[in-house]
Amino acid sequence: MSKETEIDMKDVELNELDPEKQPMTADGQAAGGEKNGSVKQKVPEDEVTFTGLSKEELMKVAGTPGWVRTRWVLLVLFWLGWLGMLAGAIAIIVQAPRCKPIPEMNWWNEGPLYQISDVDAFAGGIAGVEAKLDEINKLKVKGLILGPLHTSQADKPPALNLQVIDPTYGNRKDLEAVLEKAHKKGISVVLDLTPNYRGASPWFNNDGVSDVMEKVMDAAEYWLNLKVDGIKVSDLTFATSSPEWSKLQSALRINSTENPRKRLLMGVVESVSADTVSQLVNDSGVDLVLSNLLGSKKGGVERIQAMDILHSQQMSLAWGLGAAQRQQLSEQATSPGLMRLYQLLLFTMPGTPVFTYGDEIGLQALVSYTTARTFRWLLQGVTALFPHQGDESPKMIWDVETEPAEGAAVNETSEAARTERVAMRKWFRSLSDLRGKERSLLHGDYYSLSSSSSSLSFLRVWDQSERYITAVNFGSSSETLTLKLAPTEGLELPETGTVKLSTDEEMVVDSRVPLDKITLKPGQAVLLQFPYTG
């Protein structure tokens, strides 16, 4: 091949190179005349568009034996899976343990009752109670027990007027304001209609008892028409012996469309046995019986025996320490530690806890109520010196959480007392809140575990809910409790439990403790928790 032919062939090859591969000219253009970096792309004139299969083509394919078999296999698998899930769900439902039906409960079973035996202890009397309902509501109480408020003179039946409020306490308008505000907060109000509350005997020593009972019945109807939620009377054993007692029961059983909530008939007994309390629950027709068994039975064995007798009647049973005598808890629990102990005990026992105003902060009584009653009996001839019970009652203390102003002089004793009241109210509120949430504590079954002269323990259980053990030592020395259920109970305790609440800081909340033996210091109380395990 000649030299000229080779040069022509190279020119052809160079011209056929991609524009980007061609050599650059001085002005930055490719040899072929195109600028460097530009690309030419040919777009086909006739672009093909996918339209899918037509209906006729789909029907033709769907009818082939292969697709028919595939559809049947998928359909059978779907129904087999559905039937399998249905069978599994039925098996789970059948094999799962049945939930225990919730017992019938009334409002007084749902939380503690707060007794204001002397409204003068609240600045302003009945109006003062209305002003402090927001604070009382924080305690998660379900009912207030007010009074007695009516006009009465000690041991003088003719002066009794159960339908008129003593002017020193307030008036009907003040009471209606309390009712309205309390009901808005879900708090019921009970009136104490004990006739001779300023005298030696609640029912005037048999003097005209039929006439007195008639007055109580008329007053009950009167106050219930004003939307009061219940009536309380003292000395239930004496009251039920009156032939007029059934009329009082009938007055409270009259339902009205304006107040569909059940009305409470509450009776108080003192210095009677647990068997007598049980008989009164069965035969008296009252809805709730409050006794002083916890105060009259000092030993742990006696207290456990009382609970063993009465726990099956817990929906009609109320417990208190001092409440039956309209006393503060501090009269019998003389130290902050013991006050916390009895608060824990009352909130976890089977029945409704009843507290007197100030128990939530450990309010101390100025004069023993028992002593005051004794002096009143000795000085019946000068009863003007004792116009009403409120003279011996301590004044309620509010705003305990208000700290001293910065830079102000601080009395160390007063500040220590204030701090203790704040801590005790926090303890009280935590117990009240827990009882309202946990079914085992609210209406659970009761099983005694162990007891001694100065200690006791018991178990509260409800179906598949969390279980709770209360263990207290109200003695003056440490004691080791052996927590053990009777073989006939059909329950077993786990090896350990979780500390839910404790009066001893060394027994840390949420820590685990062995349940076979637990050592409590003097005055210590602990609430232990463990789960349902099937």
Side-chain angles (χ1 to χ4, degrees):
M1 180 179 299
S2 66
K3 185 176 181 179
E4 294 179 355
T5 303
E6 289 178 359
I7 293 174
D8 293 337
M9 292 297 294
K10 287 181 180 180
D11 291 338
V12 173
E13 291 175 358
L14 184 61
N15 290 333
E16 290 178 354
L17 288 175
D18 290 338
E20 292 185 358
K21 294 182 181 180
Q22 294 183 14
M24 300 292 295
T25 60
D27 59 358
Q29 291 187 346
E34 296 292 337
K35 290 187 177 180
N36 188 36
S38 64
V39 177
K40 290 184 178 181
Q41 182 179 2
K42 292 183 178 181
V43 179
E45 296 179 359
D46 299 326
E47 185 173 354
V48 179
T49 303
F50 179 75
T51 59
L53 297 176
S54 64
K55 180 178 178 181
E56 291 76 12
E57 292 173 327
L58 284 172
M59 295 299 296
K60 182 177 180 181
V61 173
T64 59
W67 278 108
V68 172
R69 285 193 299 269
T70 301
R71 288 200 304 275
W72 275 108
V73 169
L74 293 174
L75 183 63
V76 171
L77 289 175
F78 168 79
W79 284 109
L80 287 176
W82 187 87
L83 291 173
M85 289 188 292
L86 178 62
I90 294 173
I92 291 173
I93 294 172
V94 171
Q95 295 179 5
R98 295 289 186 271
C99 291
K100 196 173 182 179
I102 303 297
E104 181 181 355
M105 297 181 66
N106 294 293
W107 58 262
W108 55 85
N109 304 125
E110 297 173 353
L113 303 183
Y114 192 80
Q115 180 173 251
I116 305 175
S117 51
D118 177 20
V119 294
D120 270 351
F122 288 50
I126 299 174
V129 174
E130 189 267 340
K132 295 301 181 182
L133 276 175
D134 289 333
E135 292 296 320
I136 295 173
N137 190 44
K138 294 177 182 178
L139 303 177
K140 305 295 180 67
V141 301
K142 293 301 179 181
L144 294 180
I145 304 174
L146 296 182
L149 304 174
H150 52 266
T151 301
S152 175
Q153 293 183 23
D155 305 319
K156 294 183 178 180
L160 177 65
N161 192 334
L162 292 160
Q163 299 182 33
V164 175
I165 295 175
D166 189 320
T168 60
Y169 299 139
N171 53 46
R172 170 176 160 171
K173 185 178 180 180
D174 295 332
L175 181 59
E176 289 176 339
V178 170
L179 291 170
E180 182 179 1
K181 188 172 182 179
H183 289 162
K184 287 180 179 179
K185 296 181 179 298
I187 300 175
S188 300
V189 179
V190 177
L191 278 189
D192 190 336
L193 292 184
T194 300
N196 191 29
Y197 66 98
R198 291 172 177 163
S201 172
W203 293 91
F204 296 102
N205 288 325
N206 294 317
D207 295 334
V209 64
S210 295
D211 293 338
V212 172
M213 185 63 71
E214 189 77 23
K215 289 183 178 181
V216 172
M217 183 187 69
D218 293 341
E221 293 181 347
Y222 175 78
W223 293 116
L224 291 173
N225 287 334
L226 289 179
K227 299 184 180 180
V228 168
D229 301 290
I231 299 300
K232 172 194 168 190
V233 293
S234 298
D235 199 356
L236 183 62
T237 51
F238 180 82
T240 53
S241 65
S242 168
E244 305 295 326
W245 175 252
S246 60
K247 294 182 180 180
L248 178 60
Q249 290 178 268
S250 300
L252 270 77
R253 296 296 176 262
I254 298 174
N255 294 321
S256 86
T257 55
E258 296 181 358
N259 188 5
R261 288 163 65 87
K262 186 175 180 181
R263 280 81 173 271
L264 169 66
L265 177 55
M266 181 177 180
V268 181
V269 291
E270 299 181 45
S271 304
V272 299
S273 66
D275 289 321
T276 301
V277 173
S278 178
Q279 185 177 356
L280 285 169
V281 169
N282 290 329
D283 301 337
S284 67
V286 297
D287 301 301
L288 198 65
V289 177
L290 171 64
S291 74
N292 69 331
L293 283 172
L294 192 59
S296 62
K297 307 295 184 183
K298 301 297 184 181
V301 175
E302 294 176 304
R303 289 169 169 175
I304 279 289
Q305 288 174 346
M307 282 189 276
D308 288 343
I309 293 171
L310 296 169
H311 71 88
S312 62
Q313 299 168 304
Q314 62 176 295
M315 294 303 173
S316 301
L317 190 67
W319 297 94
L321 187 64
Q325 302 93 338
R326 299 195 290 273
Q327 297 176 6
Q328 269 71 33
L329 188 150
S330 60
E331 290 228 11
Q332 299 189 45
T334 55
S335 68
L338 282 176
M339 291 180 203
R340 286 185 174 86
L341 181 150
Y342 282 110
Q343 287 176 0
L344 187 148
L345 187 59
L346 287 166
F347 272 114
T348 58
M349 292 171 69
T352 298
V354 180
F355 296 95
T356 303
Y357 75 92
D359 284 351
E360 72 273 21
I361 59 172
L363 188 66
Q364 297 284 341
L366 299 178
V367 178
S368 167
Y369 176 71
T370 303
T371 302
R373 288 185 64 181
T374 302
F375 275 100
R376 185 185 295 112
W377 177 77
L378 291 173
L379 299 173
Q380 288 185 31
V382 286
T383 52
L385 296 175
F386 298 92
H388 54 77
Q389 178 188 319
D391 290 343
E392 299 91 29
S393 301
K395 302 302 181 182
M396 185 58 187
I397 300 173
W398 301 102
D399 301 325
V400 295
E401 294 185 1
T402 303
E403 298 183 358
E406 186 177 353
V410 177
N411 182 295
E412 293 185 1
T413 302
S414 299
E415 180 60 15
R418 186 195 68 81
T419 303
E420 175 58 38
R421 292 187 184 110
V422 171
M424 189 170 295
R425 187 166 70 173
K426 181 179 179 181
W427 171 264
F428 186 98
R429 289 173 61 178
S430 64
L431 283 166
S432 185
D433 184 61
L434 184 66
R435 186 183 186 276
K437 292 178 180 178
E438 294 295 336
R439 295 189 183 278
S440 293
L441 299 177
L442 194 59
H443 52 69
D445 299 325
Y446 156 93
Y447 301 92
S448 58
L449 296 177
S450 67
S451 61
S452 70
S453 60
S454 60
S455 67
L456 59 84
S457 60
F458 54 86
L459 170 68
R460 300 297 307 278
V461 172
W462 181 258
D463 200 24
Q464 302 173 41
S465 301
E466 296 284 321
R467 283 93 192 279
Y468 288 89
I469 293 175
T470 295
V472 300
N473 174 22
F474 40 82
S476 57
S477 59
S478 297
E479 188 159 346
T480 300
L481 284 69
T482 301
L483 306 183
K484 184 171 58 177
L485 280 165
T488 56
E489 303 293 3
L491 296 172
E492 292 184 1
L493 296 179
E495 294 182 357
T496 61
T498 302
V499 177
K500 187 67 177 180
L501 291 169
S502 174
T503 60
D504 182 11
E505 294 181 354
E506 294 183 5
M507 192 171 284
V508 182
V509 173
D510 293 332
S511 63
R512 306 283 295 179
V513 296
L515 295 184
D516 54 346
K517 289 185 178 182
I518 179 171
T519 301
L520 298 179
K521 296 179 180 179
Q524 183 184 352
V526 63
L527 183 64
L528 304 173
Q529 179 189 54
F530 63 91
Y532 168 79
T533 56

